Structures are given as structure tokens and as C-alpha cells.
Amino acid sequence: MVILISNDDGIYARGLQVLYEELKSLGKIYVVAPDRERSAVSHALSLHRPLRIKEVKKNFFAVDGTPTDCVNIAINGLLPEKPDMVVSGINFGPNLGDDITYSGTVSAAIEGCLLGVPSIAFSLATLDPPAYFRPAGRVARRIVEKFLETGIPQGTIINVNFPNKRRCRYYKGLKFTRQGKRKYGEAIVEKIDPRGKKYYWIGGKDLGYENIPDSDIVAVEEGYVSITPIHLDLTNYRLLQELKKWEDLWNQQLLNNPG
Amino acid sequence: MVILISNDDGIYARGLQVLYEELKSLGKIYVVAPDRERSAVSHALSLHRPLRIKEVKKNFFAVDGTPTDCVNIAINGLLPEKPDMVVSGINFGPNLGDDITYSGTVSAAIEGCLLGVPSIAFSLATLDPPAYFRPAGRVARRIVEKFLETGIPQGTIINVNFPNKRRCRYYKGLKFTRQGKRKYGEAIVEKIDPRGKKYYWIGGKDLGYENIPDSDIVAVEEGYVSITPIHLDLTNYRLLQELKKWEDLWNQQLLNNPG
């Protein structure tokens, strides 16, 4: 079994180390990860500049790029063999609900998936230390084993979030969940800088969430390990069906007389 | 009618100007856009630094942040009223298939949608000049009018791509489409720099695409204006259903004896 590990906290992050320690018994491990923290870079791909790669130890490669770059470069050329799975994490911080669209950790898994490799993203749902990666890593290994066994359908990634518990037995259990929703409020802070000029800060640390049962957010809040299947085809097929009925009419109205 | 326009090519981009000219007859327009090009920044939100806003002319605000920042800050505090629609673009370059996960243009629409405002992203599918924004803008206005009339379901954005045609009548028509898929190849270039050190470049300009009928990519290739409904709930509900059957078993196997 060949596994590629990446993350967005950088190659020296503790979450990645723990994941490596846990997964190395499963087969051959390659680590290709950013050379420093690259959180909230989302799914950016560096097309306009060259990338440098440094093998910091055997089969550990640090790249001066985004998590997406790392996975892309690993699968498309750096590794001598195609991995059986891409595992991203363990991120220091949650990747839940709508926030996953911002996530570098999840992006690494998405890139793996786009390149045809089954992919899982792991995150530890705490913003402050102490962060208990050990128990998360232990369960992560079991989840990886399970999905290596069952497979993951093409075009889908698995997004896992751990509540921050000191021991495995403090987890309430596993829950398969749907993507939750953050609540947004008016969260812009307007301030004056030392030179008397206005500046703005997007913020509010905790914006809350909608209480959707079975959602990833609620599961983690309740102490469960949340496992969400996420697919990459974003088409709203129901609406597409609906709109298609109007195609002829719209064509007549919009194009024959575009004003 | 109040419309917020943003983009990722920056507030001085031609595609935005054309969109503004076309939409201004529909009601009150606010433009809040990056102060310079912010392509491929994806859905990044600037949480760790302050943002500066400059009103470059009446109701035109330049922000030193990402498209997502712009829409967030506009809706959450900058504008005196909530817009009826967020319109992003017209992007210079396509936003088709899997690539939309990298797109700043689409991210602006996603942010609008997350904040509860119906949102549309417009892109012109050419990488090289001449870029024919005028006819695209004309049809964009009609599409905006249509969706202001019909509404857009919550949690869904509309992603529109124009083929690059000199006149409206050269468009073959409108097509409601699904998200297509790029084909990925081994596209890493390894080179040696002037100091004899290796570097890598992610590339290959045209990686091609899968020939999915009804996909956005194929529609634009054939000369149609492509309109794709994109939803933000990424949950793969079919797989979730499947996995839920295994929840008890997994719980027994994974947590009772986590190794």
C-alpha cells in the first residue's frame, strides 16, 4: 500500500507527524507538504511561478507552495509510484460546514480526488492548545484502513473531524454526517489606525452555526468523530432539470433580441 | 433593485466596467472589488490582517483583499443596504468544470450566496485577447434580469460562461449545463535553474476535458452561453445513506478497540 500524506499546516506540523507515525505500519508512506503553514489558501494552484522541492528526510518532501501544489506535484511527477490514497492532515483546527471551501487541508484531498486517487482529510476541531492529536491519529489510522478496504467512489472525498479529546474512549463514537452551515452575522469591525485612517477587520471569532441534525458541526459539538462524504460535482441537478424546461423560451427571449 | 458587483480581476478590469455599464439601468449599483488582480486566490478570506477600503469613485470601492473579502465586507457593513443580487465578473478567462474550485470570480458569488444573497458569476471563456466583453455584457444583463424575476434557490449560485464571440448573434444560444471535468495528465515540468538547481513547474496549458454531453465545457466549446446551477452543500447524500448502514459496525470495530 502506498500512501501520500500532505497538509496545510506545513511539513513540520505535529498533526502530520502523528498521522505519519500511525500510517507507516500500513505500507509505504510519502510525505509531500508545504514548507511552512499555508492555512486558508484554499484550492490555489501555483501556475505562474516555479516550485522548489527539498527532501528534508527520506520520502519527506517540503514544497514552497500550497497543499494543492504538493499533491499535484507528488502525483504528477515527484513520486515514483501512484499512491493508493491521499491523506491530508491532521489539521490543527476544524474544517466543518461551509468553511471547508476555505480549507487547505480539504483542498489537498480534493486535488488527490481530481487526480483519481481516493482521498481523506482529517482535522482536529480545536483552535487553541492543548490539541490532542494522538487519539485522533489512532482513530484516523482505523478510518484509513476501513476506506482502503471499502474504497471511496470516484469524485468523492471523505472529510473527517475529531473533537478535541484526551483519549479515544472520550469520543462518543463515529457519526456519518452531512455538511453543516455556519451562521453569518454582521461581523465587520471598523477601526481607526494610529494615523487616523479607517481600517476594517473581518471577524468575530465564533459566528455560530445552524442546528442541523446529522450535520458535521453538531456531531463534533456533541463529541462524535464526524465523517462526511463530500463530492466534487457541484451541479444542482434538481434545479438544472427545472431550468432545462425554460431553455427554449430563454433562448427566444434573450438571444433573439439582446437589446 | 440593488446590485453588488465584484470580481477577481480588480476594480479597473474591463469585464467589470462592461458589466457595470449594462447593469446600471436595472437599479442602484455598488461595486466592491479588489484593488488589483486577485485571480486564483480561490475562496480565501483575510482574517489575520486589517483591510483597507478606498472609494475610487461614487459607489466604487477598492479593497486590498480577495473577492471573498470584498463581498463579505460589502454585505456585512460597507453598504447602507442589502443587495438583491451579487454579480461577479465578467472574468477574463473561463471558469468551467473542476476549475471553478480555484476561481476567485465564482468565490465572490459563493460568498454572496453564503450571506443569503442570490448570486451569479460571469466569465468570458478566452485566455488571450481580443476578449469580446460587450456582447457578453449584453446577454449578462438579460440573464440577471431573468434571475431577478425567477429567483435562485437558497444555497445555489449560477455560473455563466460565454464563448468569445464578437457579436451576440454569433452565440449559438443558451444552454443549461452541468459541471464538466478536466482531464489531468502528467504535467509537471522539471528544469534546471542558472545555478544548477532543479525546479518544477505545474503546467501544460491545455489539459483537455472529458467529453460529457450537457457539460459547461462542451457547451462553450460548441459556441453556446453556458448556465450552470452550482450548489454549496457538497454532501454526497447517496454515499452518506450507504455509509450510515455501517455506522454501528464501524463504531464497534473502530472505537472499542482503537489499537
Side-chain angles (χ1 to χ4, degrees), chain B residues 157-174:
Chain B
I157 64 156
I158 303 297
N159 184 40
V160 179
N161 281 270
F162 297 95
N164 193 29
K165 303 290 180 192
R166 208 146 54 90
R167 290 177 197 284
C168 286
R169 63 169 180 270
Y170 297 160
Y171 296 138
K172 265 210 189 143
L174 299 174

Side-chain angles (χ1 to χ4, degrees), chain A residues 18 47 57 59 87 93 98 107 117 129 136 150 155 181 184 207 218 244 251 256-257:
Chain A
V18 167
L47 300 175
K57 64 181 180 181
N59 293 335
V87 180
D98 308 318
S107 294
V117 181
T150 66
K181 272 181 91 60
Y184 286 78
L207 296 163
V218 170
K244 269 189 180 298
N251 266 304
N256 292 350
N257 175 23

Side-chain angles (χ1 to χ4, degrees), chain A residues 142 146 179 251 253 257, chain B residues 142 146 174 234 253 257:
Chain A
R142 305 300 294 269
K146 268 293 182 193
Q179 197 189 349
N251 266 304
Q253 293 181 341
N257 175 23
Chain B
R142 305 300 293 266
K146 268 292 180 194
L174 299 174
L234 311 180
Q253 293 180 343
N257 175 23

Side-chain angles (χ1 to χ4, degrees), chain B residues 97-112:
Chain B
D98 308 319
D99 292 345
I100 67 170
T101 63
Y102 308 93
S103 163
T105 309
V106 173
S107 294
I110 289 177
E111 190 68 12

Side-chain angles (χ1 to χ4, degrees), chain A residues 42-43 47 51 101-102 142 146 156 174 176 179 193 200-201 229 231 234-236 247 251 253 257, chain B residues 42-43 47 51-52 102 142 146 156 174 176 179 193 200-201 229 231 234-236 247 251 253 257:
Chain A
S42 193
H43 201 54
L47 300 175
L51 294 165
T101 63
Y102 308 94
R142 305 300 294 269
K146 268 293 182 193
T156 294
L174 299 174
F176 293 106
Q179 197 189 349
D193 75 12
Y200 300 82
W201 211 298
H231 57 185
L234 311 180
T235 312
N236 182 340
E247 201 165 80
N251 266 304
Q253 293 181 341
N257 175 23
Chain B
S42 193
H43 201 54
L47 300 174
L51 294 166
R52 302 287 179 161
Y102 308 93
R142 305 300 293 266
K146 268 292 180 194
T156 294
L174 299 174
F176 294 107
Q179 197 189 351
D193 76 10
Y200 299 82
W201 212 299
H231 57 185
L234 311 180
T235 312
N236 182 339
E247 199 165 82
N251 266 302
Q253 293 180 343
N257 175 23

Side-chain angles (χ1 to χ4, degrees), chain A residues 40-53 68-69 72-73 75-78 98 100-102 110-111 113-115 138-139 141-143 146-147 150 152-158 168-169 171-182 184-188 193 197-203 214 224-225 227-237 239-240 243-247 249-251 253-255 257-259, chain B residues 40-53 68-69 72-73 75-78 98 100-102 110-111 113-115 138-139 141-143 146-147 150 152-158 168-169 171-182 184-188 193 197-203 214 224-225 227-237 239-240 243-247 249-251 253-255 257-259:
Chain A
V41 294
S42 193
H43 201 54
L45 193 60
S46 303
L47 300 175
H48 300 296
R49 65 177 184 87
L51 294 165
R52 302 286 180 162
I53 302 173
T68 299
D69 292 334
N72 187 298
I73 217 166
I75 295 176
N76 278 337
L78 183 63
D98 308 318
I100 66 170
T101 63
Y102 308 94
I110 288 176
E111 189 68 11
C113 181
L114 288 175
L115 296 171
R138 217 172 273 176
V139 175
R141 174 167 59 77
R142 305 300 294 269
I143 291 172
K146 268 293 182 193
F147 278 108
T150 66
I152 300 171
Q154 254 214 314
T156 294
I157 65 157
I158 302 296
C168 286
R169 64 168 180 272
Y171 297 137
K172 266 211 187 140
L174 299 174
K175 244 189 192 169
F176 293 106
T177 56
R178 54 187 283 206
Q179 197 189 349
K181 272 181 91 60
R182 265 208 289 163
Y184 286 78
E186 302 209 0
I188 302 296
D193 75 12
K197 291 184 103 174
K198 276 193 212 168
Y199 65 91
Y200 300 82
W201 211 298
I202 295 176
D214 275 0
Y224 290 91
V225 178
I227 307 179
T228 314
I230 295 289
H231 57 185
L232 305 193
D233 180 353
L234 311 180
T235 312
N236 182 340
Y237 284 101
L239 181 58
L240 178 55
L243 289 170
K244 269 189 180 298
K245 294 179 198 158
W246 301 94
E247 201 165 80
L249 185 67
W250 281 45
N251 266 304
Q253 293 181 341
L254 270 65
L255 284 177
N257 175 23
Chain B
V41 294
S42 193
H43 201 54
L45 193 61
S46 303
L47 300 174
H48 300 298
R49 65 178 184 86
L51 294 166
R52 302 287 179 161
I53 302 173
T68 300
D69 293 334
N72 188 299
I73 218 165
I75 296 176
N76 279 336
L78 182 63
D98 308 319
I100 67 170
T101 63
Y102 308 93
I110 289 177
E111 190 68 12
C113 180
L114 289 174
L115 295 170
R138 217 172 273 178
V139 175
R141 175 168 58 78
R142 305 300 293 266
I143 292 172
K146 268 292 180 194
F147 280 108
T150 65
I152 300 170
Q154 254 215 314
T156 294
I157 64 156
I158 303 297
C168 286
R169 63 169 180 270
Y171 296 138
K172 265 210 189 143
L174 299 174
K175 245 190 191 167
F176 294 107
T177 56
R178 54 188 284 205
Q179 197 189 351
K181 271 181 92 59
R182 267 209 288 163
Y184 285 78
E186 301 210 0
I188 302 296
D193 76 10
K197 291 185 103 174
K198 275 193 212 169
Y199 66 90
Y200 299 82
W201 212 299
I202 295 176
D214 275 359
Y224 290 91
V225 178
I227 307 179
T228 314
I230 294 290
H231 57 185
L232 306 192
D233 179 353
L234 311 180
T235 312
N236 182 339
Y237 284 99
L239 182 58
L240 177 56
L243 289 169
K244 269 189 180 299
K245 296 180 196 158
W246 302 93
E247 199 165 82
L249 185 67
W250 281 43
N251 266 302
Q253 293 180 343
L254 271 65
L255 284 176
N257 175 23

